[in-house]
Amino acid sequence: MKKVAFYTLGCKVNQYETDSLAGLFEQKGYEVVDFNKKADVYVINTCSVTNEGAKKSRKAIRRAVRKNPEAIVAVVGCYAQTEAERIKKIPGVNVIIGTTNRKNIVDLVEKAGDAEEPLTVVRDIMKVDEYEKISPIGRTEKTRAFLKIQEGCSEFCAYCIIPYARGPVRSRDLKDIVLETQRLVREGFVEIVLTGINLVMYGRDIGNTSLVDVLERVHDVKGIERIRLSSIEPMGITEDLITALTSLPKICPHFHIPLQSGSDVILNKMNRRYTTREYEEIIQAIREKLPEASITTDIIVGFPGETQEEFQKTYCFAKKIKFSRIHVFKYSRRKGTSASRMKPQVSSEEKRRRSAALIQLSGELEKDYIDRFIGKVMKVIVEKRVKDMEGFFEGLTDNYIRVIFPLKQEKQGDVLKLKLTKRENSCVFGEPVKT
Ligand code: 5AD
């Protein structure tokens, strides 16, 4: 039996797509093995959102080539789409596939031989207008299933390479989304996480449909306990969406809403099309209905021209909003984006300093948020055993608090009622309560 190994960088959409590709190989009789093992085929699903993602992608490619110089090495995804020429120069690469034509991967891999030039299938992504139907058979995660509903982004934020890597907004057929949800229930999943490149843009390409329709239809599927959403961009959060998010009971009170900056000047330069005031109004509207909701965010530090004062505004705004966690990104100059040509670029040292300050704040805010729930009874879905802690399991509350608790026997996927007893740093402990 031929062996194939995968390495995935970047976001949850990539994970979903790797799981989909794994299914295609399995259908053709391949065995999926660990990336550290010797395999006949290596697939690297790359990321290009930051220079760091690109660097890690190149490293993973070289690692695969070293593991087995005889193997076919296929490079797919965002970095393959945007930097195919550079990848071609890495010795040992046999196939390059961007963010389309992935469903033909097995054929392409089998066709690729010892040709000098790698077999390259990278379309002009700006001209692609169909949603590529690929979905996983099995999944990496066992209790929560990611479900991709949308592809592409047409926002063109000044810093971001993703519209060039993923192309314009394409929405998955609503019927297909419902069918996959039903299949997931049959496979035993109780929680689904809706993902996409820019979720809130769902339906904009087909008209008369929006993310609200997806939420309502998925909500109707029997057997689903929880629906979570990956990032929702403030530009696309409508009143109707807020109503759906705060009134459909299966939707988790946990919303990841990228802020990027707390300075209106910088937001404008970033082409974000909202002000801090509008952002705050969205958060207030959510909290009015769901006061305990977890609001998490992404912030970029060191965007070109960001002054110390503008950074300070971001810091104070984040504190005022009381995010329960902040994903901090150091601005990364991406070739081809408008921000890469803006001046002045902020020094690496300054970016590091600003990033450290925000990470520290994130830790403090996270503790404050968690402490509000200590002593309370919350529902947790049992996920997995805790490494090196005999008899202990971990799982998530609906508002995304990770809890560790004792359990006699494995009950993966079960919904338990736990009393949250204490927090040690960002680790929360719970005890089962009798129902
Ligand atoms: N530099 C740093 N961070 C970036 N992101 C997107 N592009 C860049 C870039 N050029 C971050 C944004 C986005 C997250 C997924 O990645 O914060 O929300």
Side-chain angles (χ1 to χ4, degrees):
M1 204 186 223
K2 283 202 163 177
K3 294 188 172 117
V4 57
F6 293 87
Y7 194 89
T8 309
L9 293 117
C11 64
K12 295 300 179 197
V13 173
N14 261 14
Q15 189 57 60
Y16 180 92
E17 289 165 348
T18 296
D19 287 348
S20 306
L21 300 182
L24 294 174
F25 276 96
E26 279 172 337
Q27 278 174 339
K28 294 274 173 78
Y30 285 74
E31 182 193 351
V32 177
V33 299
D34 195 273
F35 195 74
N36 289 315
K37 296 262 163 65
K38 191 167 179 188
D40 304 290
V41 180
Y42 289 94
V43 178
I44 297 98
N45 195 0
T46 58
C47 171
S48 68
V49 72
T50 59
N51 281 320
E52 195 65 25
K55 207 160 119 188
K56 284 185 186 161
S57 301
R58 291 194 298 271
K59 212 169 136 188
I61 297 167
R62 288 194 296 266
R63 220 173 102 196
V65 175
R66 267 200 314 273
K67 269 267 159 237
N68 181 8
E70 305 297 311
I72 297 289
V73 174
V75 183
V76 305
C78 288
Y79 184 57
Q81 179 70 42
T82 52
E83 294 279 357
E85 289 308 313
R86 181 152 184 194
I87 296 169
K88 268 187 197 167
K89 294 190 187 124
I90 304 178
V93 172
N94 306 92
V95 182
I96 303 174
I97 306 173
T99 53
T100 59
N101 291 80
R102 289 160 298 189
K103 57 178 180 295
N104 307 327
I105 189 163
V106 184
D107 281 349
L108 291 168
V109 159
E110 290 179 351
K111 240 198 267 168
D114 300 325
E116 290 254 309
E117 280 263 302
L119 192 55
T120 307
V121 188
V122 177
R123 284 169 69 188
D124 177 355
I125 199 69
M126 292 307 173
K127 298 209 177 100
V128 174
D129 60 3
E130 78 279 7
Y131 178 92
E132 187 179 19
K133 288 187 185 177
I134 48 169
S135 51
I137 306 174
R139 277 175 158 81
T140 308
E141 304 246 357
K142 294 296 169 229
T143 51
R144 295 192 292 157
F146 290 89
L147 175 49
K148 182 179 164 191
I149 66 166
Q150 180 274 341
E151 175 67 280
C153 179
S154 314
E155 288 294 325
F156 293 94
C157 296
Y159 49 80
C160 191
I161 189 89
I162 298 308
Y164 308 95
R166 291 279 178 173
V169 171
R170 283 99 77 202
S171 305
R172 185 170 179 187
D173 187 53
L174 196 46
K175 283 198 294 287
D176 280 349
I177 298 173
V178 173
L179 283 174
E180 187 164 343
T181 311
Q182 288 165 338
R183 201 178 74 218
L184 289 168
V185 172
R186 285 198 299 275
E187 287 171 16
F189 288 99
V190 285
E191 177 173 329
I192 58 164
V193 187
L194 300 176
T195 62
I197 298 299
N198 188 348
L199 267 190
V200 291
M201 292 299 149
Y202 182 89
R204 298 283 165 107
D205 55 323
I206 41 186
N208 262 338
T209 325
S210 74
L211 181 58
V212 175
D213 299 297
V214 178
L215 294 176
E216 286 172 349
R217 293 288 298 278
V218 168
H219 202 270
D220 277 346
V221 174
K222 278 208 183 69
I224 284 292
E225 289 270 343
R226 284 181 180 172
I227 303 163
R228 221 181 268 285
L229 288 92
S230 60
S231 272
I232 45 175
E233 295 291 342
M235 299 85 102
I237 302 183
T238 58
E239 263 178 52
D240 283 353
L241 181 59
I242 295 179
T243 305
L245 293 176
T246 55
S247 60
L248 294 169
K250 293 178 185 173
I251 294 186
C252 293
H254 162 222
F255 306 109
H256 187 78
I257 310 179
L259 169 67
Q260 312 301 7
S261 172
S263 147
D264 288 330
V265 175
I266 295 293
L267 283 177
N268 191 290
K269 287 187 188 166
M270 287 177 161
N271 193 26
R272 290 289 287 173
R273 286 195 269 269
Y274 57 86
T275 61
T276 47
R277 183 170 182 162
E278 284 161 346
Y279 185 94
E280 202 174 349
E281 280 166 6
I282 292 171
I283 308 302
Q284 275 166 354
I286 294 173
R287 285 190 173 144
E288 209 168 281
K289 297 276 176 48
L290 300 171
E292 303 204 311
S294 169
I295 310 283
T296 54
T297 201
D298 291 344
I299 292 179
I300 297 176
V301 296
F303 184 80
E306 184 189 65
T307 61
Q308 182 56 31
E309 200 185 329
E310 282 156 351
F311 170 69
Q312 208 52 40
K313 279 201 172 144
T314 298
Y315 186 94
C316 293
F317 188 74
K319 207 165 167 177
K320 180 173 169 205
I321 295 289
K322 294 195 173 76
F323 289 113
S324 37
R325 189 176 304 146
I326 307 169
H327 295 173
V328 186
F329 293 82
K330 291 195 275 283
Y331 169 72
S332 175
R333 199 171 182 175
R334 308 307 285 130
K335 206 170 69 198
T337 61
S338 59
S340 71
R341 296 182 294 274
M342 291 181 188
K343 284 184 180 141
Q345 296 282 326
V346 175
S347 72
S348 306
E349 198 191 322
E350 191 52 35
K351 281 191 254 189
R352 259 199 302 277
R353 213 189 52 73
R354 292 179 191 177
S355 162
L358 270 189
I359 290 171
Q360 163 95 18
L361 175 66
S362 172
E364 287 162 18
L365 294 176
E366 182 175 13
K367 286 177 198 163
D368 291 347
Y369 179 72
I370 291 173
D371 285 346
R372 288 164 59 186
F373 301 92
I374 301 296
K376 292 198 175 169
V377 173
M378 302 192 78
K379 282 185 184 168
V380 169
I381 297 182
V382 182
E383 210 167 277
K384 57 184 178 212
R385 285 177 184 278
V386 183
K387 238 191 184 166
D388 303 327
M389 266 179 90
E390 189 62 29
F392 281 84
F393 285 76
E394 62 182 88
L396 288 169
T397 62
D398 58 357
N399 59 346
Y400 216 64
I401 297 177
R402 188 162 285 281
V403 188
I404 292 177
F405 47 92
L407 201 63
K408 291 223 170 60
Q409 72 200 83
E410 187 130 4
K411 285 186 172 176
Q412 205 176 48
D414 270 16
V415 187
L416 289 187
K417 276 192 176 166
L418 297 178
K419 183 171 180 177
L420 307 199
T421 50
K422 62 174 176 181
R423 174 183 64 74
E424 278 175 20
N425 297 318
S426 55
C427 216
V428 181
F429 291 88
E431 277 168 10
V433 292
K434 295 215 168 58
T435 44

